[in-house]
Amino acid sequence: MTRHSMLVLLSTLILVVASTAAAQEKPRTGGVLKAAMIGEPPSLDLHSTTATITQQITWHIYETLFTYDRQYNPIPMLAEGHSVSDGGRRYTIKLRRGVKFHNGKEMTSVDVVPSLQRWGRIATPGKAVFKFVEAVEAKGAYEVVIHLKEPMAALLDGLGRPGNAAAIYPKEVIDAAGDGQIKEFIGTGPYRFVEHKPDRHIKVSRFNDYAARSEPSDGYAGKRTAYLDEILFIPVPDVAVRLAGIETGEYHFGQEIQQDQYDRVKRMKGVEARIIKPANWSTAVLNHKQGLMTDKRIRQAFQAALDMEPIMAAGFGHKEFYRLDPGLMHPEQPQWHSRVASEFYNQKDKAKAQRLLKDAGYSGQPVRWVTTQEYRWMYQNALVAKQQLEAVGFRIDLQVVDWATLVQRRNKPELFDVFSTGFTFTPEPAFGASLQCNWPGWWCHEEKERAMEALAKEADPKKRRALLERIQQIFYEDVGRIKFGDSFALDVVRTDVRNFPVRPWLAFWNVWLMK
Amino acid sequence: MKTYVLRRLLALIPVALVVATVAFVLIHLAPGDPASVIAGPDATPDDVKKIEQQLGLDRPLAIQLLSWYARLVQGDFGRSIFLRKPVLEAIVERVEPTMLLTLGATLISVLIGVPAGVISARYHNSAADQAFMMVALVGISVPNFLLGLLFVLFFGVWLGWFPVAGYSPLEHGWAPTLRSLVLPSFSLGLVQSALIARIARSSMLDVLREQFITASRAKGLGERAVVYKHALKNALIPTITIIGISFAILLSGAVVVETVFNIPGLGRLIVSAVLRRDYPIVVGVVLCVAGVYMLVNLAVDLSYLLIDPRVKYQ
């Protein structure tokens, strides 16, 4: 054995021993975890916003009837279990007993029914689910029955998704708020809301009467334990300050660090870089309702001209943080991921683009592309794409505005042809904004809409996959949107934060602090 | 004198009204709206419209303005859309860090700026003068956010002397508060000290060329007495004016520095309010800052009375 291989063997041994030691480390209760977040949540009412940051903070406080396991299958959380009858039209959901809200009251169907109804009225995915729902009713204190107009296989996914979730609030909170914003933040989660000092922190602390599930932790499901005394979610909008604060130990966790800082972070002592994979797909949304992009040939020219590698490289800086992939769902979701129609992705075919533009009779009318520097990657993606598009004859009018303007302008079809955004990771394609017809961009396509409806209803996984593949085919042929590629986020964490798996949705239950 | 002050105070009202109206109309005319921000990125246009109706933002702007005036007359500044509390309460909560930061920065800028200016003037054209003015030139040219980031890197990350960000309120003791304000106060104050030094120097130079200075020298007064007693007092009026203005500049400079150092003051309040179009907060903070501006101006005018016996207000 050479000296070199001895060294390799030795270091491997040390690594194995060290990681086993970490795995067997006894959880420690106590401490205050400080998480540096990208900003303030627009609301703490999980029913009322699709903002990811609201979900990341409040799902420590509120829980849903179902949640996801490691493979992203919906499984019970506040529910004990469920049964389906009447040919898939009736879901009877049994509730767990002895689950307490933070106000000390036991959660029963009296709370669950109005929570689901409110979610169905005001939440974006709630409305999509409730198109299929005829009625929700209580059957005794611990059972809720959902009557469907027609069978809907994606119901449990809908009830389990964390973003804009079907959170269960106490009835009094809902009565007080109606469809407006809730005024008290009470749930059944492992942490309870303590205070919100805007621009300072949102403080949650351990809920001592938390009714944890007995099953071992699996993904987001199973036993949730609040080891920490408190979590402070601190809004730190400046990315350099988030990173500096992690480096000095002022924060334990820092969200969304610029990806080009990856190599620097790897060299920092006591700090661990985490690649959140998958996080997003970066996209340009085309306006199918009004203007230039209603012409399919122009959309196809747009798609044909793009070379995704430089676009993604400009946006995400470091090879580890992006991937060129045509899938509507990510490779991490093998049950869904497909490379169907990949010949239309990343074509870099200038001649084809020019030909299509000529066929469409395009004569240099400006294409209004609304983007923002508030998310640097959106702007950088757009900037490189603009150059490529102009090289084939497009004239791009890049309108750089702030995020609040972008999200307003995109709702008005007369104001844009293209806008930048990202679609966050979702386990269930039936509810993702990326494929919805009523979402800005208004990509409505007869066959696609039929397939989407079938996807929501269909229960057989094989048939569901086939439906999504068909939708993906249409996505590229009709150029529903432009997918640039998959992007991953860089989070940083101090090494004294333990049992904190790398996964798409941020959660601090089961996490402890080693001092 | 009393009537003068009263007159000046009464004059604040129309100015405040104009400021409030302009701020209200401008922020409402700016593209973007709070409803889209609340609804989040995946919301559909219908969802956004519903929230807009709940917030009353679908009414014509003139109606919104009138109902806002009606409430303002009763002393009601409205409620923040995002903070779920009255605007006035939100502002009062944020005054402490901003005031302390601005005072700290003013103190630093005066303590550095005035002596540097006076010494430069006294040793006019000497090496010390050149050096001070060179530093001042650099100081004026460096934006305070850059200075702030450099301070964070050097004193926060490398040396670890001060926290890189955040603010500890006075209720937790003055020592941590002071510690959390050192870096931001310096990055804000140093830049202003350069301005004050230049003004102090030039007004000192003007005064030193006056005949009464020659006269005092001729009657055999020592140089110290000439410079620090006679010249400095006379050079103070423009310097105080600039300190007053610079206090106001610092107040607005706090917007940037508070963002860099993550200090939850008025600056952060208005930045986040603008970014998410929290209209009532934006207008409230603009009004409040305008009020402070006007009061500082009044205070500066009144301070002339103390320094210069020739000044009389009727």
Side-chain angles (χ1 to χ4, degrees), chain A residues 113-127:
Chain A
V113 171
S115 294
L116 294 183
Q117 285 167 336
R118 181 175 188 263
W119 178 71
R121 272 197 314 276
I122 69 172
T124 305
K127 281 189 244 181

Side-chain angles (χ1 to χ4, degrees), chain A residues 446-463:
Chain A
E446 216 186 316
E447 193 193 342
K448 186 223 37 171
E449 300 321 315
R450 274 203 310 274
M452 284 295 286
E453 207 179 316
L455 186 69
K457 291 180 190 166
E458 183 56 60
D460 177 6
K462 269 193 189 146
K463 286 186 186 153

